[in-house]
Short mmCIF file of all heavy atoms in Angstrom, two decimals:
data_model
loop_
_atom_site.label_atom_id
_atom_site.label_comp_id
_atom_site.label_asym_id
_atom_site.label_seq_id
_atom_site.Cartn_x
_atom_site.Cartn_y
_atom_site.Cartn_z
N ALA F 14 -21.38 -12.40 -1.03
CA ALA F 14 -22.21 -11.40 -1.76
C ALA F 14 -21.82 -10.00 -1.36
O ALA F 14 -21.83 -9.05 -2.16
CB ALA F 14 -23.61 -11.69 -1.42
N THR F 15 -21.49 -9.87 -0.04
CA THR F 15 -21.15 -8.55 0.47
C THR F 15 -19.80 -8.03 -0.26
O THR F 15 -19.68 -6.95 -0.68
CB THR F 15 -20.82 -8.62 2.03
OG1 THR F 15 -21.97 -8.95 2.57
CG2 THR F 15 -20.39 -7.29 2.44
N VAL F 16 -18.80 -8.98 -0.33
CA VAL F 16 -17.52 -8.68 -1.06
C VAL F 16 -17.79 -8.29 -2.46
O VAL F 16 -17.33 -7.26 -3.02
CB VAL F 16 -16.62 -9.91 -1.02
CG1 VAL F 16 -15.45 -9.77 -1.97
CG2 VAL F 16 -16.10 -10.08 0.45
N LEU F 17 -18.62 -9.04 -3.19
CA LEU F 17 -18.86 -8.78 -4.56
C LEU F 17 -19.59 -7.47 -4.78
O LEU F 17 -19.38 -6.67 -5.60
CB LEU F 17 -19.77 -9.88 -5.26
CG LEU F 17 -19.06 -11.31 -5.46
CD1 LEU F 17 -20.01 -12.26 -6.04
CD2 LEU F 17 -17.79 -11.10 -6.29
N ALA F 18 -20.59 -7.19 -3.93
CA ALA F 18 -21.33 -5.91 -4.03
C ALA F 18 -20.40 -4.80 -3.84
O ALA F 18 -20.48 -3.71 -4.36
CB ALA F 18 -22.54 -5.97 -2.99
N SER F 19 -19.47 -4.90 -2.89
CA SER F 19 -18.63 -3.82 -2.51
C SER F 19 -17.68 -3.48 -3.73
O SER F 19 -17.14 -2.34 -3.76
CB SER F 19 -17.74 -4.19 -1.28
OG SER F 19 -16.68 -5.09 -1.65
N LEU F 20 -17.34 -4.42 -4.58
CA LEU F 20 -16.38 -4.17 -5.67
C LEU F 20 -16.99 -3.11 -6.63
O LEU F 20 -16.13 -2.56 -7.33
CB LEU F 20 -16.16 -5.51 -6.42
CG LEU F 20 -15.45 -6.57 -5.64
CD1 LEU F 20 -15.15 -7.75 -6.53
CD2 LEU F 20 -14.16 -6.07 -5.07
N GLY F 21 -18.23 -2.87 -6.60
CA GLY F 21 -18.82 -1.80 -7.52
C GLY F 21 -18.31 -0.51 -7.13
O GLY F 21 -18.32 0.43 -7.96
N SER F 22 -17.76 -0.27 -5.80
CA SER F 22 -17.24 0.96 -5.42
C SER F 22 -15.73 1.08 -5.66
O SER F 22 -15.17 2.06 -5.31
CB SER F 22 -17.50 1.09 -3.89
OG SER F 22 -18.87 1.14 -3.61
N LYS F 23 -15.13 0.07 -6.30
CA LYS F 23 -13.87 0.03 -6.69
C LYS F 23 -12.93 0.28 -5.46
O LYS F 23 -12.09 1.21 -5.54
CB LYS F 23 -13.55 0.96 -7.84
CG LYS F 23 -14.32 0.66 -9.09
CD LYS F 23 -13.92 1.52 -10.23
CE LYS F 23 -14.75 1.28 -11.49
NZ LYS F 23 -14.44 2.12 -12.63
N PRO F 24 -13.05 -0.47 -4.45
CA PRO F 24 -12.18 -0.30 -3.27
C PRO F 24 -10.72 -0.52 -3.50
O PRO F 24 -10.37 -1.36 -4.44
CB PRO F 24 -12.72 -1.32 -2.24
CG PRO F 24 -13.27 -2.43 -3.10
CD PRO F 24 -13.85 -1.71 -4.26
N ASP F 25 -9.81 0.09 -2.74
CA ASP F 25 -8.43 -0.03 -2.97
C ASP F 25 -7.94 -1.31 -2.21
O ASP F 25 -7.56 -1.25 -1.16
CB ASP F 25 -7.69 1.18 -2.42
CG ASP F 25 -6.17 1.02 -2.58
OD1 ASP F 25 -5.72 0.17 -3.33
OD2 ASP F 25 -5.42 1.90 -1.97
N ILE F 26 -8.09 -2.50 -2.89
CA ILE F 26 -7.66 -3.79 -2.26
C ILE F 26 -6.87 -4.53 -3.27
O ILE F 26 -6.81 -4.28 -4.49
CB ILE F 26 -8.92 -4.65 -1.85
CG1 ILE F 26 -9.88 -4.87 -3.10
CG2 ILE F 26 -9.71 -3.90 -0.72
CD1 ILE F 26 -11.01 -5.79 -2.80
N SER F 27 -6.16 -5.50 -2.73
CA SER F 27 -5.19 -6.23 -3.55
C SER F 27 -5.95 -7.53 -4.11
O SER F 27 -5.42 -8.08 -5.20
CB SER F 27 -3.97 -6.71 -2.73
OG SER F 27 -3.29 -5.50 -2.26
N PHE F 28 -6.86 -8.04 -3.48
CA PHE F 28 -7.56 -9.24 -3.84
C PHE F 28 -8.91 -9.33 -3.26
O PHE F 28 -9.20 -8.69 -2.26
CB PHE F 28 -6.75 -10.57 -3.64
CG PHE F 28 -6.69 -10.87 -2.20
CD1 PHE F 28 -7.48 -11.79 -1.55
CD2 PHE F 28 -5.57 -10.36 -1.43
CE1 PHE F 28 -7.42 -12.04 -0.21
CE2 PHE F 28 -5.45 -10.70 -0.07
CZ PHE F 28 -6.37 -11.58 0.50
N ALA F 29 -9.84 -10.22 -3.80
CA ALA F 29 -11.07 -10.49 -3.29
C ALA F 29 -11.39 -11.90 -3.48
O ALA F 29 -11.27 -12.48 -4.52
CB ALA F 29 -12.19 -9.59 -3.87
N VAL F 30 -11.96 -12.52 -2.39
CA VAL F 30 -12.30 -13.96 -2.44
C VAL F 30 -13.77 -14.11 -2.20
O VAL F 30 -14.24 -13.67 -1.08
CB VAL F 30 -11.49 -14.85 -1.54
CG1 VAL F 30 -11.97 -16.27 -1.51
CG2 VAL F 30 -9.95 -14.69 -1.78
N ASP F 31 -14.55 -14.62 -3.08
CA ASP F 31 -16.00 -14.88 -2.81
C ASP F 31 -16.14 -16.38 -2.67
O ASP F 31 -15.99 -17.10 -3.64
CB ASP F 31 -16.75 -14.42 -4.03
CG ASP F 31 -18.23 -14.90 -4.02
OD1 ASP F 31 -18.74 -15.26 -2.94
OD2 ASP F 31 -18.69 -15.14 -5.09
N ASP F 32 -16.52 -16.82 -1.56
CA ASP F 32 -16.76 -18.32 -1.30
C ASP F 32 -18.34 -18.44 -1.16
O ASP F 32 -18.95 -18.06 -0.25
CB ASP F 32 -16.07 -18.75 0.01
CG ASP F 32 -16.37 -20.23 0.36
OD1 ASP F 32 -17.03 -20.93 -0.37
OD2 ASP F 32 -15.69 -20.68 1.28
N CYS F 33 -18.91 -19.04 -2.27
CA CYS F 33 -20.27 -19.39 -2.32
C CYS F 33 -21.19 -18.23 -2.08
O CYS F 33 -22.20 -18.41 -1.40
CB CYS F 33 -20.67 -20.60 -1.56
SG CYS F 33 -20.41 -20.52 0.20
N GLY F 34 -20.83 -17.09 -2.63
CA GLY F 34 -21.78 -15.88 -2.52
C GLY F 34 -23.04 -16.20 -3.39
O GLY F 34 -23.05 -17.11 -4.17
N PHE F 35 -24.09 -15.42 -3.15
CA PHE F 35 -25.29 -15.57 -3.88
C PHE F 35 -25.21 -15.39 -5.34
O PHE F 35 -24.70 -14.39 -5.79
CB PHE F 35 -26.39 -14.70 -3.25
CG PHE F 35 -26.55 -14.66 -1.83
CD1 PHE F 35 -26.60 -13.46 -1.14
CD2 PHE F 35 -26.44 -15.91 -1.09
CE1 PHE F 35 -26.70 -13.49 0.29
CE2 PHE F 35 -26.46 -15.89 0.38
CZ PHE F 35 -26.64 -14.57 1.01
N ALA F 36 -25.67 -16.41 -6.08
CA ALA F 36 -25.52 -16.32 -7.59
C ALA F 36 -26.20 -15.19 -8.16
O ALA F 36 -25.69 -14.60 -9.12
CB ALA F 36 -26.03 -17.58 -8.20
N THR F 37 -27.32 -14.73 -7.64
CA THR F 37 -28.13 -13.72 -8.26
C THR F 37 -27.57 -12.31 -7.99
O THR F 37 -28.11 -11.37 -8.52
CB THR F 37 -29.59 -13.70 -7.82
OG1 THR F 37 -29.60 -13.65 -6.40
CG2 THR F 37 -30.36 -14.98 -8.33
N THR F 38 -26.53 -12.24 -7.17
CA THR F 38 -25.93 -10.94 -6.95
C THR F 38 -25.43 -10.30 -8.23
O THR F 38 -25.44 -9.10 -8.49
CB THR F 38 -24.79 -11.11 -5.90
OG1 THR F 38 -25.32 -11.59 -4.70
CG2 THR F 38 -24.19 -9.70 -5.62
N VAL F 39 -24.69 -11.13 -9.02
CA VAL F 39 -24.08 -10.58 -10.24
C VAL F 39 -24.44 -11.48 -11.44
O VAL F 39 -23.87 -11.28 -12.59
CB VAL F 39 -22.58 -10.60 -10.08
CG1 VAL F 39 -22.14 -9.68 -8.96
CG2 VAL F 39 -22.00 -12.00 -9.76
N ALA F 40 -25.29 -12.42 -11.43
CA ALA F 40 -25.66 -13.27 -12.47
C ALA F 40 -26.20 -12.58 -13.72
O ALA F 40 -26.16 -13.12 -14.83
CB ALA F 40 -26.61 -14.37 -12.02
N LYS F 41 -26.84 -11.40 -13.53
CA LYS F 41 -27.54 -10.70 -14.69
C LYS F 41 -26.50 -10.03 -15.60
O LYS F 41 -26.89 -9.59 -16.68
CB LYS F 41 -28.50 -9.66 -14.22
CG LYS F 41 -29.72 -10.45 -13.43
CD LYS F 41 -30.76 -9.44 -13.02
CE LYS F 41 -31.88 -10.07 -12.33
NZ LYS F 41 -32.94 -9.12 -11.84
N GLN F 42 -25.21 -10.02 -15.20
CA GLN F 42 -24.29 -9.31 -16.09
C GLN F 42 -22.93 -9.84 -15.74
O GLN F 42 -22.64 -10.41 -14.65
CB GLN F 42 -24.29 -7.75 -15.96
CG GLN F 42 -24.10 -7.22 -14.46
CD GLN F 42 -24.31 -5.83 -14.41
OE1 GLN F 42 -23.83 -5.12 -15.22
NE2 GLN F 42 -24.87 -5.37 -13.29
N PRO F 43 -21.97 -9.84 -16.65
CA PRO F 43 -20.59 -10.26 -16.42
C PRO F 43 -19.97 -9.59 -15.24
O PRO F 43 -20.18 -8.44 -15.00
CB PRO F 43 -19.90 -9.95 -17.78
CG PRO F 43 -20.94 -9.85 -18.77
CD PRO F 43 -22.15 -9.29 -18.07
#
């Protein structure tokens, strides 16, 4: 969930892996 939430800041990274993050973190929108 921390990784997914951080992507909103568009960090300069090459990849992101979310292993079983909380569904409701981003479930309300694509």
Side-chain angles (χ1 to χ4, degrees):
T15 299
V16 167
L17 289 180
S19 74
L20 296 182
S22 298
K23 299 183 180 180
D25 181 15
I26 57 174
S27 298
F28 68 92
V30 176
D31 163 33
D32 181 351
C33 60
F35 311 137
T37 54
T38 301
V39 293
K41 294 183 179 180
Q42 54 185 323

